Amino acid sequence: MSERAAPFYCPYCGEEDLRPGEVGRGAWECAGCGRAFQLKFLGLLAQGLRSDSTGGEGI
């Protein structure tokens, strides 16, 4: 298994000063806003991402 991937920025404030958290696996702490968050890889999508140019669901 490879090493864990690190986030590039905080999902709340955008700060790049992140440190691994002590709470558990995938935990990160942001020095900018003081929040702690956890990242978790859930798995691959069965169909993957599709590029559907025939319409489909619109925005």
Side-chain angles (χ1 to χ4, degrees), residues 50 52 54-59:
R50 297 184 300 185
D52 187 12
T54 61
E57 293 185 27
I59 296 177

Side-chain angles (χ1 to χ4, degrees), residues 1-54:
M1 184 175 247
S2 64
E3 292 185 32
R4 64 180 168 182
F8 293 111
Y9 57 87
C10 174
Y12 298 100
C13 72
E15 179 64 48
E16 295 179 358
D17 189 5
L18 302 176
R19 296 182 176 90
E22 299 178 2
V23 176
R25 188 175 209 166
W28 291 89
E29 299 172 355
C30 176
C33 66
R35 289 185 169 102
F37 58 95
Q38 189 171 22
L39 300 176
K40 181 178 178 181
F41 177 71
L42 298 176
L44 298 173
L45 299 174
Q47 297 175 350
L49 297 176
R50 297 184 300 185
S51 176
D52 187 12
S53 61
T54 61

